[in-house]
Amino acid sequence: MLKALVFDVDGTLADTESVHRAAFNQAFAECGLDWHWDEALYTELLNISGGMERMQHYWQMHNPQMRERGSLALQDTLHRLHARKTAAYMEAVNGGAVQLRPGVLTLMDQALAQGLQLAIATTTSPANIAALLDRDLGADWRMRFTAIGDASTAPLKKPHPQVYLHMLDAMQLKPAQCLAFEDSFNGLQASRAAGLATVITPTHYTAGHDFTGALRVLPDLGHADLELLRTWHADSLNGISP
Ligand code: XBP
Ligand code: MG
């Protein structure tokens, strides 16, 4: 029996990664770095979940001789860079740079009207979630969600299942009672490792990812109402494949 929907944020609730990419590049320029992440490079770097981890990986690529990977100086620099990036991202989102993807709001409303719980399971920062949902769901957006798992509560980033395991615990539900919504390979690995059936809605950044194990891959959530999702979910529990 489906009891909850668990949503990833970036790429799933909204197609945000182009705005993240611009914010990274703005922070690099403001901090005097000659780094520039173009679309092709960023598509690669998105294989690393978490902005901090992504920048550390890129730094390591550029400084292979670097010994003190975890040195305080490097960590301090990365934290300062990430703070500037998050500020730039929030400014862009507050300015209307992204909207919820098709079908997201309708599905959330349907689920709440039928007594399902909603949760968020993301690797992005809490401030980024608030900027997006304050704008698109209103200041009381948190009332819609039983639980929110993000970079501040689940430091082990996707494909690690930590954030999904936290949400199951917070909702006091079993994986079989939930349905996850993701956009990427790492996200699918995380939700599947936690035992959740998962619907994928890729973006242009993740269209080429391996979605083996997904319950369905849809262009967006405008292509499935709650009844159809309940049927697919029940089929998956009964071992009926698409
Ligand atoms: C996608 C991510 C995040 C964003 C950047 O998160 O991996 O790192 O790319 O946001 P999701 P931060 O799990 O929602 O798809 O810079 O805050 O990490
Ligand atoms: Mg995502």
Side-chain angles (χ1 to χ4, degrees):
M1 174 73 170
L2 185 61
K3 296 274 190 188
L5 306 182
V6 188
F7 292 93
D8 164 54
V9 173
D10 292 304
T12 301
L13 288 188
D15 190 350
T16 58
E17 291 296 353
S18 291
V19 181
H20 279 300
R21 183 174 76 88
F24 279 113
N25 287 327
Q26 183 179 329
F28 300 153
E30 286 172 0
C31 294
L33 287 171
D34 66 351
W35 299 0
H36 182 77
W37 291 355
D38 64 18
E39 186 98 345
L41 174 56
Y42 194 64
T43 301
E44 289 248 320
L45 290 172
L46 273 174
N47 291 321
I48 310 282
S49 287
M52 275 290 291
E53 294 82 355
R54 197 168 301 143
M55 290 190 296
Q56 180 148 338
H57 170 79
Y58 182 75
W59 191 305
Q60 178 80 8
M61 271 167 46
H62 264 218
N63 303 277
Q65 80 292 348
M66 185 179 74
R67 292 281 167 270
E68 66 299 348
R69 183 182 173 84
S71 77
L72 282 181
L74 173 58
Q75 290 307 313
D76 177 56
T77 302
L78 291 176
H79 277 293
R80 277 188 293 110
L81 262 177
H82 199 235
R84 298 284 282 272
K85 176 264 171 181
T86 299
Y89 176 79
M90 289 173 66
E91 188 180 341
V93 171
N94 291 335
V98 286
Q99 284 74 40
L100 293 181
R101 290 188 66 183
V104 166
L105 190 51
T106 303
L107 179 58
M108 285 183 175
D109 287 345
Q110 279 179 342
L112 289 172
Q114 295 185 28
L116 274 69
Q117 293 183 67
L118 302 183
I120 284 177
T122 177
T123 56
T124 194
S125 321
N128 292 346
I129 306 169
L132 176 69
L133 299 186
D134 269 344
R135 191 179 164 78
D136 284 21
L137 297 181
D140 63 349
W141 64 270
R142 287 178 181 79
M143 309 277 284
R144 289 166 170 259
F145 298 95
T146 304
I148 299 165
D150 59 43
S152 69
T153 57
L156 299 177
K157 303 286 175 69
K158 301 171 185 175
H160 194 289
Q162 185 179 54
V163 69
Y164 279 101
L165 296 173
H166 285 178
M167 290 305 97
L168 291 172
D169 187 45
M171 296 187 292
Q172 290 293 292
L173 292 175
K174 294 183 175 49
Q177 296 173 296
C178 303
L179 189 56
F181 297 85
E182 276 283 355
D183 69 302
S184 69
F185 174 78
N186 279 350
L188 178 61
Q189 296 308 302
S191 59
R192 294 299 296 136
L196 283 81
T198 304
V199 171
I200 293 288
T201 52
T203 67
H204 73 283
Y205 282 109
T206 61
H209 287 194
D210 176 2
F211 294 127
T212 306
L215 185 61
R216 288 294 192 286
V217 179
L218 303 175
D220 59 51
L221 291 179
H223 288 72
D225 64 9
L226 187 54
E227 287 332 298
L228 194 50
L229 290 169
R230 284 183 186 279
T231 303
W232 291 344
H233 179 259
D235 286 352
S236 73
L237 295 182
N238 298 325
I240 303 168
S241 50

